[in-house]
Amino acid sequence: TDLLRSAFYRGYMKPRKCEHAIGLCFWSGERLACVITVMRSGPQGEARVPEMNLLRRFYAEFDIALRRIRSLEREHSARAAFETFLRRLPLPTMLLRWSLRLAYQNKAAREFCLAWREGPHASRLMKATPATAPVPDEILDGCRRLKRRWENASGVNAEQPTIEQESFHHAKWHQLQVTISITHLSTVGLTPPDFFVQCQETRVPGAPAITEENTRLGHYVRLT
């Protein structure tokens, strides 16, 4: 203990002309997760009893904040892993915020948006970029419809509505299908949900009627 105190003094306190320190230790089970150190100069002197009592009261607030940071880190890691997984799938996938701002879109989704705008044949001769393949208005309108239904079903005393979804096809190229779901990806209950958009070309041109058996992505996109 004395050796650690001496090393801490030489490494951190002395260059900052500090002589006193108070450490708040935060644990995750039996593992030390974080230490918050308050350092004081010689003229400031050691912490007095009222100051120590104040730190003890703040300890619980710091602990809550650190747990929230860990939760956000886990959520961020889960989203990053989820996005990495989706990039490897041929299924076009997008995530839109409650404000309809695009939060995530894989390469297949950009190509789908271009096909929705230009047609399946013409889009194959073009490069899908955010400029050439914006989110189609029909998809944004579908999100707005779901948003209105969600807000109408959500009241101060109402239970949280169940997750809804809406599916529709392109008006001209009927093989292009979109499914929009409302889902909570955040761990904070007060935050609004997100729109999870799955796109699919349900049959190739000239194919027979649409069935689950002859969908282009119906089988292997569901493999775990």
Side-chain angles (χ1 to χ4, degrees):
T1 303
D2 293 337
L3 183 61
L4 289 175
R5 288 176 179 172
S6 176
F8 181 76
Y9 177 78
R10 293 195 305 271
Y12 295 94
M13 296 178 63
K14 189 173 182 180
R16 294 166 176 77
K17 299 181 180 179
C18 296
E19 296 184 6
H20 308 282
I22 305 168
L24 304 177
C25 299
F26 300 87
W27 301 84
S28 177
E30 298 182 355
R31 182 177 63 88
L32 182 62
C34 177
V35 178
I36 296 178
T37 304
V38 181
M39 295 186 290
R40 300 168 64 98
S41 64
Q44 287 177 311
E46 295 185 2
R48 296 180 292 272
V49 173
E51 294 170 329
M52 293 297 296
N53 292 336
L54 184 63
L55 284 175
R56 290 189 179 94
R57 283 163 46 194
F58 281 154
Y59 180 91
E61 305 295 334
F62 291 148
D63 189 48
I64 292 174
L66 290 170
R67 292 178 186 275
R68 176 62 186 146
I69 291 174
R70 288 198 295 270
S71 176
L72 289 173
E73 288 179 346
R74 287 194 297 269
E75 180 181 333
H76 175 75
S77 298
R79 288 195 182 206
F82 181 60
E83 291 178 0
T84 300
F85 171 73
L86 287 178
R87 288 191 187 100
R88 299 174 181 175
L89 287 180
L91 181 65
T93 307
M94 292 182 285
L95 184 69
L96 278 73
R97 299 297 187 205
W98 196 240
S99 61
L100 301 187
R101 179 178 63 85
L102 183 63
Y104 169 76
Q105 182 186 49
N106 62 3
K107 181 176 181 293
R110 285 195 299 273
E111 294 174 349
F112 181 89
C113 290
L114 184 61
W116 188 281
R117 179 181 179 181
E118 303 294 336
H121 294 290
S123 64
R124 294 189 179 95
L125 305 177
M126 303 174 63
K127 183 177 181 180
T129 66
T132 61
V135 180
D137 292 336
E138 292 87 345
I139 294 180
L140 298 177
D141 290 339
C143 293
R144 293 186 182 101
R145 290 192 296 269
L146 280 178
K147 185 175 182 178
R148 284 194 295 269
R149 291 209 299 266
W150 178 278
E151 291 175 341
N152 291 336
S154 301
V156 176
N157 298 320
E159 295 182 359
Q160 181 176 336
T162 57
I163 295 178
E164 300 184 52
Q165 71 177 26
E166 180 170 324
S167 297
F168 54 89
H169 295 263
H170 193 284
K172 182 178 180 180
W173 299 292
H174 299 289
Q175 68 267 31
L176 301 181
Q177 179 182 353
V178 173
T179 300
I180 308 173
S181 303
I182 288 182
T183 181
H184 273 284
L185 293 183
S186 175
T187 57
V188 182
L190 297 178
T191 59
D194 301 297
F195 295 103
F196 185 61
V197 183
Q198 294 175 287
C199 313
Q200 188 173 357
E201 188 173 350
T202 54
R203 67 181 177 91
V204 296
I210 298 171
T211 64
E212 180 64 25
E213 287 73 20
N214 62 21
T215 56
R216 177 182 264 183
L217 301 175
H219 293 296
Y220 59 87
V221 299
R222 292 178 175 83
L223 293 177
T224 62

